[in-house]
């Protein structure tokens, strides 16, 4: 199942958007027009999250594809490297090309992409994780059937990832209901994402050759229900990737990588979600209407724009999600930016699922060979949580999905923001500063006087409860205007 399958469905239980009660005089900047996207991945369940849930997830950014051109046949492009230098040249050429196409305006030169543990042999690459066969297998006959009708018995598949870690174990099954986890689709997505992000150019061209590339042959085997051919092709893939890991090509690519492609980020988050939250998603349908504990999700492409374009968060900074739900955004920030990432959630069921996600997320990052930032998940009311009060004093970015918060809760948040350091940014769906607000002698003690706010626009596929565009707000703690007013008044 894709990352947001249920929240995208019409008639889901996500709340209807509420009009923001804000007058109009916020400083505006030119809206960012999103790059057109092409995605075959569906998105995860529409979650009604606790007063919390600044969270959310993402639409996939597919790599830019160049115009078709005649390519050498795979036979002309051997998978073995002729020399270490040629591999380095190919890897760097691929990374430079990706950098030119990247959407991010700046690269974080301090970011370390490679997970050293993922390429060590200390534990033989064996660690606890949830294999695909644990959530999708013939042991669940009401939900799954054999993917290859000619092979009705259990067909086991092991898939290599770009690290020294264990292979993931799958069963070749297909869901009876179309919105359940699809093993063969997950395998295809994994292979495509690895090819596009971890392999040097010559290997990419050979594997993606339109007539004889591995991806094309896998599709043919799937379409013909040729299970034995499919297994042989997966073994071929495992051998190719194992050689590239052994000769350190994969490691060199990671060492030279400056940013993570959004499709790679989304694949890791989707795998984490589908193995932890999706099987228990019913726990998230318990909510109390008309309270702070009801609303939907911000989707991953939207979050990526916030992290990389609006706020330009870096790996040596601190991110806090107040109302983090099952932890989707906390994990995305840790992976995409590599920063220290905190979340606080009040609903117990969502907290339980967030902890399951965090554990699986660590395993997934190691499987993919990637280093993520430290993740901290807190339970309880973020207005009263001592750890959150401490971390807010050094936070660089605070996310609050306050679309459905009561005025009282929003007022409490404003008071909480007094402890933020100068320059800390706050992203919210409702503004904490009324339009047309001016500092006067009567209101100079209000916390909103230290916030400088900019109104922005989001577009389709940004939030779970509507495809319609809307507004969000990026505020910064800046006491300059208040100090100037006080100085002029004395």
């Amino acid at each position: 199942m894709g990352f947001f399958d249920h929240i995208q469905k019409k008639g889901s239980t996500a709340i209807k958007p509420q009009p923001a009660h804000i007058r109009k005089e916020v400083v505006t900047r030119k809206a960012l027009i999103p790059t057109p996207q092409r995605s075959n991945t569906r998105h995860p369940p529409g979650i009604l999250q606790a007063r919390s849930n600044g969270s959310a997830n993402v639409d996939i950014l597919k790599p830019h594809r160049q115009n078709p051109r005649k390519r050498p046949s795979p036979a002309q492009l051997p998978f073995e490297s002729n020399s270490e230098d040629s591999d380095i040249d190919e890897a760097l050429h691929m990374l430079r090309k990706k950098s030119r196409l990247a959407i991010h305006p700046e690269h974080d030169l301090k970011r370390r992409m490679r997970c050293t543990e993922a390429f060590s042999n200390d534990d033989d690459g064996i660690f606890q994780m949830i294999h695909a066969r644990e959530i999708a297998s013939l042991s669940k006959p009401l939900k799954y059937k054999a993917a290859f009708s000619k092979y009705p018995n259990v067909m086991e598949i092991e898939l290599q990832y770009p690290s020294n870690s264990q292979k993931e174990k799958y069963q070749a099954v297909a869901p009876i209901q179309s919105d359940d986890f699809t093993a063969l689709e997950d395998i295809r997505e994994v292979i495509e994402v690895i090819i596009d992000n971890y392999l040097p150019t010559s290997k990419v061209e050979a594997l993606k050759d339109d007539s004889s590339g591995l991806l094309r042959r896998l599709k043919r085997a799937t379409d013909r229900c040729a299970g034995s051919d499919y297994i042989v092709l997966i073994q071929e893939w495992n051998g190719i990737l194992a050689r590239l890991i052994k000769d350190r090509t994969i490691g060199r690519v990671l060492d030279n990588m400056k940013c993570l492609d959004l499709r790679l980020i989304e694949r890791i988050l989707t795998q984490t979600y589908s193995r932890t939250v999706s099987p228990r998603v019913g726990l998230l349908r318990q909510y109390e209407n008309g309270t702070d504990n009801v609303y939907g999700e911000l989707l991953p492409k939207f979050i990526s724009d916030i992290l990389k374009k609006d706020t330009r968060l870096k790996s040596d900074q601190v991110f806090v999600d107040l109302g983090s739900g099952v932890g989707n955004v906390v994990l995305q920030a840790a992976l995409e930016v590599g920063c220290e990432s905190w979340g606080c959630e009040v609903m117990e069921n969502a907290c339980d699922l967030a902890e399951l996600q965090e554990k699986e997320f660590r395993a997934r990052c190691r499987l993919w060979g990637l280093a993520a930032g430290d993740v901290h998940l807190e339970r309880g009311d973020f207005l009263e949580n001592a750890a959150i009060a401490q971390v807010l004093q050094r936070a660089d970015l605070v996310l609050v999905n306050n679309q459905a918060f009561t005025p009282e809760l929003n007022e409490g948040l404003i008071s909480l923001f007094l402890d933020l350091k100068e320059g800390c940014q706050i992203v919210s769906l409702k503004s904490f500063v009324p339009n047309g607000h001016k500092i006067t002698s009567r209101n100079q003690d209000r916390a909103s006087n230290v916030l400088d706010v900019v109104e922005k626009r989001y577009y389709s596929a940004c939030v779970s409860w509507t495809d319609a565009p809307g507004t969000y707000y990026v505020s910064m703690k800046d006491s300059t205007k208040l100090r100037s007013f006080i100085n002029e008044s004395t």
Side-chain angles (χ1 to χ4, degrees):
M1 174 165 27
F3 209 76
F4 296 106
D5 289 337
H6 299 297
I7 56 180
Q8 300 284 35
K9 289 183 178 178
K10 304 300 180 185
S12 72
T13 53
I15 63 162
K16 302 294 183 183
Q18 299 296 318
H21 300 293
I22 299 170
R23 291 162 306 195
K24 208 59 168 155
E25 204 248 307
V26 182
V27 179
T28 59
R29 294 177 184 167
K30 185 176 180 181
L32 296 172
I33 301 175
T35 304
Q37 305 297 313
R38 183 174 73 84
S39 171
N40 293 326
T41 302
R42 285 172 277 191
H43 305 289
I47 302 167
L48 300 172
Q49 298 193 344
R51 127 152 42 136
S52 4
N53 208 6
S55 341
N57 311 16
V58 344
D59 207 31
I60 298 174
L61 177 66
K62 294 266 189 178
H64 174 79
R65 298 178 186 265
Q66 296 185 357
N67 293 331
R69 64 182 185 277
K70 187 174 181 180
R71 297 171 178 164
S73 68
Q76 296 172 306
L77 296 166
F79 289 110
E80 292 76 9
S81 301
N82 294 326
S83 70
E84 184 173 304
D85 288 341
S86 65
D87 268 347
I88 293 174
D89 289 343
E90 289 181 20
L92 293 178
H93 171 71
M94 178 189 72
L95 289 166
R96 282 194 293 268
K97 182 166 71 172
K98 286 181 177 293
S99 296
R100 289 196 300 271
L101 300 173
I103 62 170
H104 308 321
E106 295 178 358
H107 294 310
D108 184 354
L109 300 180
K110 296 180 181 179
R111 176 74 196 277
R112 176 177 60 86
M113 295 296 180
R114 194 214 288 225
C115 171
T116 54
E117 185 182 25
F119 293 90
S120 71
N121 295 312
D122 292 344
D123 55 5
D124 296 323
I126 305 299
F127 49 89
Q128 188 173 355
M129 58 176 278
I130 302 173
H131 291 269
R133 72 177 182 184
E134 296 177 47
I135 61 169
S137 69
L138 292 179
S139 65
K140 302 175 181 179
L142 298 180
K143 297 189 71 175
Y144 292 97
K145 61 184 179 180
F148 301 106
S149 56
K150 296 178 182 178
Y151 303 86
N153 297 325
V154 174
M155 182 179 287
E156 300 282 349
I157 298 171
E158 293 191 352
L159 185 67
Q160 179 71 52
Y161 280 74
S163 67
N164 279 343
S165 304
Q166 62 197 329
K167 298 181 180 70
E168 180 162 18
K169 296 176 175 62
Y170 292 79
Q171 279 192 16
V173 294
I176 294 173
Q177 299 292 327
S178 61
D179 58 352
D180 278 330
F181 178 81
T182 305
L184 300 191
E185 181 179 312
D186 191 63
I187 291 171
R188 176 185 57 78
E189 284 280 348
V190 168
I191 294 175
E192 285 187 1
V193 169
I194 294 173
I195 289 173
D196 287 337
N197 289 277
Y198 289 78
L199 272 56
T201 307
S202 64
K203 278 69 173 177
V204 172
E205 292 176 342
L207 290 166
K208 297 178 77 171
D209 184 86
D210 292 337
S211 59
S212 57
L214 179 70
L215 290 174
R216 181 62 177 166
R217 287 180 284 144
L218 272 173
K219 185 178 186 308
R220 287 173 184 157
T222 304
D223 293 344
R224 296 198 316 265
C225 289
S228 58
D229 291 348
Y230 188 91
I231 295 294
V232 169
L233 290 169
I234 294 298
Q235 292 170 347
E236 178 183 336
W237 162 258
N238 290 345
I240 292 168
L241 199 53
R243 289 193 293 274
L244 293 173
I245 294 167
K246 185 177 181 179
D247 70 13
R248 300 183 180 178
T249 298
I250 299 297
R252 288 193 294 270
V253 168
L254 286 171
D255 289 340
N256 287 282
M257 195 178 287
K258 302 303 180 187
C259 63
L260 297 181
D261 183 82
L262 193 53
R263 189 182 179 197
L264 169 59
I265 295 165
E266 218 273 348
R267 178 53 24 200
I268 295 171
L269 297 177
T270 296
Q271 288 190 321
T272 302
Y273 191 99
S274 65
R275 287 154 177 78
T276 55
V277 179
S278 291
R280 306 168 180 86
V281 73
L283 296 175
L284 296 173
R285 305 193 194 283
Q286 302 170 17
Y287 67 97
E288 185 179 351
N289 197 15
T291 71
D292 295 315
N293 299 338
V294 184
Y295 58 84
E297 294 269 355
L298 310 182
L299 303 182
K301 176 62 173 68
F302 186 20
I303 293 300
S304 184
D305 285 345
I306 288 171
L307 296 174
K308 306 301 288 187
K309 291 183 178 181
D310 292 334
T311 64
R312 299 186 180 184
L313 195 66
K314 301 297 183 185
S315 59
D316 57 353
Q317 296 183 308
V318 179
F319 171 79
V320 181
D321 182 359
L322 297 179
S324 52
V326 296
N328 293 328
V329 175
V330 178
L331 301 183
Q332 183 175 344
L335 177 59
E336 183 165 4
V337 180
C339 62
E340 181 182 343
S341 191
W342 289 73
C344 188
E345 173 58 52
V346 72
M347 290 178 68
E348 287 298 319
N349 287 344
C351 290
D352 293 341
L353 294 177
E355 290 174 0
L356 289 176
Q357 279 220 99
E358 194 272 337
K359 185 176 180 181
E360 182 65 15
F361 171 75
R362 287 294 166 199
R364 291 281 144 189
C365 287
R366 181 174 175 181
L367 201 61
W368 287 86
L370 294 171
D374 292 335
V375 172
H376 306 270
L377 299 171
E378 291 290 322
R379 291 173 178 255
D381 188 336
F382 50 64
L383 294 179
E384 300 175 0
N385 185 284
I388 292 299
Q390 288 293 319
V391 76
L392 282 175
Q393 296 178 29
R394 56 189 183 88
D396 296 283
L397 173 59
V398 178
L399 177 68
V400 187
N401 179 0
N402 60 340
Q403 176 69 37
F405 283 5
T406 61
E408 292 76 19
L409 180 55
N410 279 321
E411 195 65 32
L413 278 167
I414 295 174
S415 298
L416 197 66
F417 295 156
L418 285 172
D419 292 330
L420 298 176
K421 66 184 181 182
E422 290 290 301
C424 178
Q425 299 181 84
I426 305 159
V427 176
S428 60
L429 266 66
K430 285 185 177 180
S431 178
F432 293 105
V433 181
N435 284 340
H437 175 74
K438 293 182 180 180
I439 302 174
T440 67
S441 57
R442 292 184 178 182
N443 69 13
Q444 69 179 38
D445 294 330
R446 287 185 58 82
S448 56
N449 288 326
V450 298
L451 298 180
D452 184 20
V453 62
V454 176
E455 180 183 293
K456 291 177 173 283
R457 296 281 292 173
Y458 64 77
Y459 299 91
S460 61
C462 283
V463 298
S464 65
W465 55 88
T466 181
D467 274 336
T471 55
Y472 67 105
Y473 301 87
V474 180
S475 305
M476 179 181 290
K477 185 175 180 182
D478 182 356
S479 304
T480 305
K481 291 181 181 178
L482 179 60
R483 285 196 299 266
S484 297
F485 177 84
I486 293 173
N487 291 336
E488 291 172 0
S489 300
T490 56

